[in-house]
Amino acid sequence: MTTSTLTTPAIASTMDRRPPALGGFSPAVLLIEMRRILRNRRTLIFTMVMPAVFFLLFGLPQRGELLPNGRQVLAWIMVSLAVYGAMVATTSAGAAVATERALGWSRQLRLTPLRPAAYVATKVATAMILGLVAVVVEFAVGAAAGVRLPAYVWLLAGLATWLGSLVFSALGLLIGYLGPAENVMQFMGPVLALLAMFGGLFMPLEMLPHALQRIAEFTPVWGVGQLARAPLTGDPVSVGVFANVLGWAAVFALGAAWLFRRDTQRV
Amino acid sequence: MTSTHPAVELTGLRKSFGPVTAVDGLDLTVHAGEVVAFLGPNGAGKTTTIDMLLGLARPDAGEVRLLGGTPADAVRYGRVAAVMQSGGLLKDLTVAETVRMTAHFFGRTRPVAEVLERAGIADLADRPVGKCSGGQQQRLRFALALLPDPDVMVLDEPTTGMDVEGRRDFWQAIRADARSGRTIIFATHYLDEADAYADRIVLVRQGRVVADGTTAEIKNLAAGRTVRATLPGADQAGLAALPGAETVEVRGDSVLIRTGDSDAVARHLLTRTAARDVEITSHNLEDAFLALTTAGGHPTAPAPALTAPATIGA
């Protein structure tokens, strides 16, 4: 008798082998991603609890004050803080890539048929769902605290806030692909707060010195903030606002795409 | 699906990191259904070779064929899976969530409950990965590797850092799986693991294969002895023809014979030749391993020294 192992006929798997549909992008994975996020207290605090608390702390004392067009200052503060919540939500969801790279999960994924583009699509979708939740929560707190607006203003301001946060999911991905790091949001949290201040989310920019105001108009949050509040204030959306939003969107998205390509070609 | 291709074909593989040559002209063919131990000390190039085999690293030179195609194709169709040494898990997911999520990345998989069961972690399904021990995490990696029901399973030092019990449990899970026809390649630096679980051992040193044979052959090599004697004018060819003689080396008046049958060689020397001062020294498995896998080791142990002498009783 010879050794048996070499003569054992190779029995191939009887499974029907095929690559995954949509490169591995699936709603079921999104659901698990959402569960992960809802389990993360820090994310919930920074994207939902903090903006709500800020609103109650700084908004409520201004109850009854009105904007030049007769709408409530409270609504202005609510939309601004919704932009803040959504930007933190989308940035942190995108930046989760850095953590997953640090943990070696990205390497593990390279041993599955999941396409890198499907992975990024999952991250963007997760970021946008979390961003939407952040906007809805802030708006709900606002409505409960007495913000009254016509339905179309709620809708348009909400949509602008939410879609504007796409810019920050791109920023999150850019940071995520910049380098593997386990706690990138510890660094990004303060950076986002600073950008939000220059974007006029925590106070009107008119309260800043004139030179700073001019500089602020070139920072990445300003455009999205202006866009989100336009349905409320009725201010016309200037070319500068569009240039700011599209410009930063392009910078972040192209940067993220470049780093992403570098990462996937590293083989 | 029947395959006439070898499971793995590595030809002339080379990979350097700066001035360090990790893999230096490595050739290896593994046939379907073989269980191969890739044995070597740390830094022998095992992990780099595995990375290239899986398509995680690109060779500087040489070619990798996995099931007749590229590693990327094999990965795409779930025909290869790997259990890596460490990392690669999300701490905030539970064990079952990790498996479910990974299952969605494949076109078809075995049922989640089945792979958890086969990896011996069905009772840990709801435990957060971050709260699992190293051994439990390794069994989770194994469960993930079972998902696509791969034809080739690669394990890179799967039991590093585990305690004795963890190692035993892990190998029990691997053995219990033993799908007929699945090719298993595992890197290890534990001799006993290679001995206990592999049909074939490939010894690597400094990025090359230094010995390759069935476990029995490797053991035989290890169990060999060297007979040294003073014998002026030794008949080298005649000595080499002795039963069991593997190599014959003549150094001045001395002759050194590596053999699997030292008794026969000694008897021959003492009865048929003028040899005197006969000394017999033995090697154990550890010696052979060290000799083959350390730089400046035994000069008379090149890869071709491995023949297949009588394996009865080995």
Side-chain angles (χ1 to χ4, degrees):
Chain A
M1 267 291 218
T2 50
T3 49
S4 61
T5 43
L6 290 177
T7 51
T8 304
I11 299 165
S13 165
T14 50
M15 274 202 332
D16 164 27
R17 295 205 180 276
R18 59 178 188 204
L22 297 175
F25 179 89
S26 86
V29 173
L30 276 183
L31 215 65
I32 297 176
E33 287 282 5
M34 289 317 294
R35 283 240 290 276
R36 276 181 80 194
I37 281 173
L38 294 178
R39 217 173 270 162
N40 186 334
R41 287 217 184 84
R42 185 183 290 164
T43 308
L44 293 186
I45 287 172
F46 279 100
T47 59
M48 285 154 219
V49 179
M50 224 173 72
V53 170
F54 277 6
F55 172 75
L56 297 174
L57 278 180
F58 305 113
L60 285 188
Q62 312 217 35
R63 223 175 166 161
E65 308 251 349
L66 296 178
L67 294 169
N69 69 348
R71 297 241 163 84
Q72 297 159 292
V73 167
L74 207 55
W76 192 96
I77 294 171
M78 176 192 76
V79 175
S80 300
L81 288 172
V83 172
Y84 176 69
M87 71 182 261
V88 175
T90 48
T91 307
S92 61
V97 171
T99 313
E100 299 187 358
R101 290 173 71 204
L103 290 173
W105 177 248
S106 312
R107 196 176 148 85
Q108 175 77 31
L109 291 179
R110 285 167 63 191
L111 296 174
T112 74
L114 176 71
R115 309 309 292 174
Y119 173 73
V120 168
T122 304
K123 288 290 161 215
V124 172
T126 308
M128 292 310 285
I129 294 172
L130 186 64
L132 183 63
V133 174
V135 174
V136 169
V137 166
E138 187 66 16
F139 277 21
V141 171
V147 173
R148 295 291 171 265
L149 292 168
Y152 82 93
V153 175
W154 282 111
L155 192 70
L156 288 181
L159 266 180
T161 304
W162 183 53
L163 293 178
S165 64
L166 262 174
V167 176
F168 301 102
S169 13
L171 171 64
L173 285 176
L174 186 146
I175 291 158
Y177 280 106
L178 212 49
E182 274 214 51
N183 280 315
V184 70
M185 283 311 287
Q186 275 175 359
F187 160 74
M188 275 314 286
V191 172
L192 290 180
L194 197 71
L195 289 178
M197 200 185 73
F198 275 103
L201 298 187
F202 296 152
M203 58 188 174
L205 279 184
E206 290 72 39
M207 291 170 70
L208 290 177
H210 185 73
L212 273 186
Q213 281 183 44
R214 296 296 306 165
I215 294 170
E217 287 174 16
F218 292 96
T219 61
V221 179
W222 179 81
V224 175
Q226 293 293 111
L227 200 65
R229 288 184 304 238
L232 175 74
T233 58
D235 292 345
V237 179
S238 67
V239 176
V241 169
F242 275 118
N244 178 293
V245 173
L246 297 178
W248 282 109
V251 166
F252 293 151
L254 291 175
W258 181 67
L259 291 173
F260 165 78
R261 196 160 306 147
R262 194 186 64 173
D263 186 66
T264 49
Q265 283 181 350
R266 204 187 26 175
V267 177
Chain B
M1 193 173 4
T2 49
S3 171
T4 52
H5 297 288
V8 173
E9 258 183 305
L10 307 177
T11 9
L13 224 49
R14 260 170 229 284
K15 179 83 180 174
S16 302
F17 299 100
V20 182
T21 304
V23 176
D24 188 13
L26 189 140
D27 295 296
L28 180 66
T29 301
V30 177
H31 294 283
E34 281 188 288
V35 178
V36 179
F38 211 45
L39 181 64
N42 289 324
K46 301 189 297 291
T47 297
T48 309
T49 303
I50 284 177
D51 282 355
M52 290 190 281
L53 167 64
L54 294 169
L56 293 173
R58 183 175 292 154
D60 295 339
E63 200 193 6
V64 177
R65 304 293 286 170
L66 194 48
L67 298 157
T70 64
D73 286 337
V75 166
R76 211 162 117 76
Y77 288 90
R79 299 190 67 193
V80 62
V83 176
M84 304 309 267
Q85 217 169 333
S86 62
L89 295 173
L90 298 173
K91 296 172 194 167
D92 53 346
L93 288 179
T94 66
V95 166
E97 280 170 343
T98 306
V99 179
R100 270 211 304 280
M101 190 174 202
T102 306
H104 286 291
F105 300 147
F106 289 94
R108 278 280 168 86
T109 65
R110 303 299 309 168
V112 169
E114 179 192 305
V115 302
L116 287 175
E117 189 63 48
R118 284 210 274 169
I121 46 172
D123 52 331
L124 304 174
D126 295 323
R127 181 173 298 188
V129 172
K131 291 207 167 80
C132 289
S133 72
Q136 290 167 342
Q137 292 191 1
Q138 201 59 323
R139 277 183 281 157
L140 170 56
R141 289 187 193 97
F142 177 57
L144 297 178
L146 284 175
L147 272 174
D149 197 10
D151 295 328
V152 176
M153 170 93 77
V154 181
L155 305 111
D156 186 12
E157 306 209 7
T159 59
T160 299
M162 282 189 205
D163 56 17
V164 177
E165 200 183 340
R167 283 173 66 188
R168 198 194 55 214
D169 288 352
F170 182 77
W171 283 109
Q172 251 167 22
I174 302 267
R175 272 224 283 225
D177 167 61
R179 188 192 97 191
S180 140
R182 178 173 287 154
T183 311
I184 296 177
I185 300 169
F186 66 95
T188 182
H189 58 258
Y190 295 119
L191 279 166
D192 55 332
E193 278 188 0
D195 184 23
Y197 304 105
D199 307 325
R200 175 179 164 198
I201 296 178
V202 175
L203 275 166
V204 283
R205 175 185 121 194
Q206 293 177 340
R208 290 164 188 261
V209 174
V210 290
D212 181 351
T214 64
T215 314
E217 285 165 355
I218 296 279
K219 270 188 150 172
N220 191 68
L221 169 84
R225 294 185 176 141
T226 300
V227 180
R228 199 205 72 83
T230 305
L231 178 60
D235 168 18
Q236 195 165 354
L239 291 173
L242 288 174
E246 286 161 12
T247 60
V248 177
E249 205 183 325
V250 178
R251 295 179 190 163
D253 281 350
S254 290
V255 58
L256 287 97
I257 305 158
R258 255 181 94 85
T259 173
D261 187 351
S262 55
D263 292 342
V265 171
R267 190 171 295 122
H268 173 88
L269 285 171
L270 291 169
T271 59
R272 306 281 172 85
T273 72
R276 55 198 161 82
D277 302 336
V278 175
E279 288 171 17
I280 301 175
T281 47
S282 64
H283 320 275
N284 54 28
L285 194 56
E286 201 77 27
D287 287 339
F289 176 68
L290 286 173
L292 287 166
T293 59
T294 44
H298 206 297
T300 60
L306 257 186
T307 54
T311 51
I312 306 137

